[in-house]
């Protein structure tokens, strides 16, 4: 299993899976965002990933890297909230890191996503512990070196661990102590990304 | 054509805010021949948010070859422009995110660009607006 490789069809399956998960969970994401943000996270991501799924169905790119670059660009263009440039940068940078390869290994995917997560950190200026999507993304890409299942578990644990944190980035940071006790919406949607990745890898 | 003046793009979550700040900057910049300034506010459907398409169109509209200064309000406006500059090819060469207060920076940027200042001068003038304390 460790020598298994993943191609463009896998990447499209991943993005379709995220689109379906976001569609299913949009209400929950928006409710979480209503508590400490501006109540648009679910609707924004739903719009963005629906555009991604539609574009990939119409004209599927030939490599997994190209799938992620296309998806990232569309998220930046269509989401309309901060999650657009953040997830867009994650996927676009990861896609560029994968280059022209037609098939990639899980280790290569983990390296590419780690580069994407680093770019997200530079873009938003956040670090783990700030109660952002990085609290789920950072442990998830680390654990992806072990397995897809470990990556999903690490994302879930990271998202759950945002509950007692005080937000230090974004609109939630204006709430100060009142942001404590709420689960971060961005970390929660990051779990959907890694759950869909595990499902896509299973075939 | 490097003889053109620096163009200015005002990015806000709200179309009304971006349009009004552009109008305010034009009004306060004085008469005469002003540098180009374009508003990129809200989403294409009129809602609140940030549209990379509107930003790219505005930047293209004001680009005369001397650079484009982008001023932004907050949150996704900042992140979208930074993401486009870092990874994308949607913005013209010479586009720069300027670190400045939105309203005061817009006025300072337009005055400086209209006087023929280069992109460094426009960015510096807009950033200096942070130094003006009100109390």
């Amino acid at each position: 299993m460790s020598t298994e490789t993943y191609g463009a069809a896998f990447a499209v399956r991943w993005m379709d899976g995220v689109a379906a998960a976001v569609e299913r969970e949009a209400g929950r994401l928006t409710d979480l965002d209503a508590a400490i943000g501006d109540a648009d996270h679910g609707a924004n991501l739903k719009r963005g990933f629906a555009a991604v799924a539609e574009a990939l169905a119409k004209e599927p790119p030939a490599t997994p890297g190209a799938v992620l670059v296309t998806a990232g660009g569309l998220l930046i263009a269509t989401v309309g909230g901060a999650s657009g440039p953040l997830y867009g940068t994650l996927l676009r940078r990861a896609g560029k890191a994968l280059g022209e390869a037609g098939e990639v290994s899980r280790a290569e995917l983990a390296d590419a996503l780690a580069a994407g997560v680093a770019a997200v950190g530079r873009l938003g200026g956040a670090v783990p512990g700030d109660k952002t999507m990085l609290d789920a993304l950072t442990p998830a890409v680390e654990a992806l070196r072990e397995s897809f299942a470990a990556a999903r578990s690490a994302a879930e644990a990271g998202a759950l661990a945002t509950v007692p944190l005080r937000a230090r980035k974004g609109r939630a940071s204006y709430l100060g102590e009142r942001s404590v006790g709420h689960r971060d919406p961005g970390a929660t949607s990051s779990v959907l990304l890694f759950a869909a990745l595990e499902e896509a890898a299973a075939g | 054509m490097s003889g053109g003046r620096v163009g200015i793009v005002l990015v806000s979550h709200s179309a009304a805010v971006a349009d009004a700040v552009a109008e305010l900057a034009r009004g306060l910049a004085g008469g005469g021949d002003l540098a180009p300034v374009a508003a990129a506010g809200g989403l294409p459907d009129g809602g609140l948010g940030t549209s990379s398409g509107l930003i790219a169109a505005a930047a293209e509209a004001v680009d005369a070859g001397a650079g484009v200064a982008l001023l932004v309000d907050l949150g996704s406006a900042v992140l979208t422009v930074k993401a486009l500059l870092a990874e994308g090819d949607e913005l013209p060469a010479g586009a720069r995110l300027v670190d400045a207060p939105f309203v005061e920076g817009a006025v300072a940027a337009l005055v400086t660009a209209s006087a023929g200042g280069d992109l460094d001068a426009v960015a510096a003038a807009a950033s200096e607006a942070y130094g003006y304390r009100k109390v």
Side-chain angles (χ1 to χ4, degrees):
Chain A
M1 285 299 282
S2 61
T3 55
E4 190 147 353
T5 59
Y6 304 91
F10 153 81
V12 170
R13 246 185 357 256
W14 180 23
M15 292 297 106
D16 286 347
V18 179
V22 164
E23 165 100 41
R24 197 174 60 233
E25 301 285 335
R28 176 166 161 257
L29 293 175
T30 289
D31 288 348
L32 289 172
D33 196 27
I36 57 174
D38 51 0
D40 61 3
H41 192 52
N44 281 349
L45 281 188
K46 196 168 121 180
R47 179 170 55 233
F49 277 100
V52 168
E54 192 189 339
L56 294 178
K58 203 176 287 174
E59 211 170 321
T63 65
V67 169
L68 299 188
V69 168
T70 298
L74 279 167
L75 291 180
I76 296 172
T78 58
V79 167
S83 56
L86 291 166
Y87 280 126
T89 292
L90 170 66
L91 296 181
R92 191 138 81 162
R93 181 104 287 279
K96 285 181 183 175
L98 290 177
E100 305 290 314
E103 295 276 330
V104 299
S105 66
R106 178 165 47 74
E108 286 167 333
L109 194 60
D111 285 343
L113 287 170
V117 170
V120 170
R122 284 194 298 277
L123 177 63
V127 294
D130 283 348
K131 199 180 183 94
T132 72
M133 59 172 65
L134 286 178
D135 289 312
L137 293 176
T138 304
V141 294
E142 278 299 313
L144 185 56
R145 298 179 195 290
E146 193 184 316
S147 71
F148 288 105
R152 178 189 40 76
S153 298
E156 278 170 0
L160 198 59
T162 63
V163 173
L165 296 176
R166 175 180 170 159
R168 284 198 285 263
K169 286 288 165 188
R171 187 192 174 285
S173 65
Y174 301 156
L175 295 176
E177 284 299 328
R178 281 178 293 146
S179 67
V180 171
H182 297 281
R183 186 176 160 129
D184 180 65
T188 304
S189 55
S190 294
V191 176
L192 302 180
L193 203 70
F194 280 90
L197 182 65
E198 185 189 12
E199 284 168 24
Chain B
M1 96 140 227
S2 57
R5 286 182 293 190
V6 173
I8 294 159
V9 173
L10 302 175
V11 183
S12 170
H13 279 57
S14 154
V17 169
D19 290 342
V21 172
E23 186 190 340
L24 177 66
R26 285 191 203 102
L28 295 183
D33 183 23
L34 297 177
V37 52
L43 298 175
D45 68 3
L48 297 180
T50 307
S51 161
S52 67
L54 291 179
I55 295 169
E60 194 188 343
V62 301
D63 180 23
V68 175
L70 295 111
L71 282 83
V72 301
D73 60 2
L74 74 170
S76 61
V78 183
L79 295 178
T80 299
V81 171
K82 284 173 83 172
L84 294 177
L85 290 172
E87 300 286 340
D89 53 9
E90 293 92 340
L91 296 178
R96 188 190 298 181
L97 173 62
V98 169
D99 185 21
F102 194 61
V103 175
E104 296 89 332
V107 176
L110 186 58
V111 168
T112 307
S114 298
D118 65 11
L119 185 56
D120 285 339
V122 169
S127 291
E128 273 168 24
Y130 274 132
Y132 173 70
R133 312 314 308 179
K134 294 169 190 175
V135 289

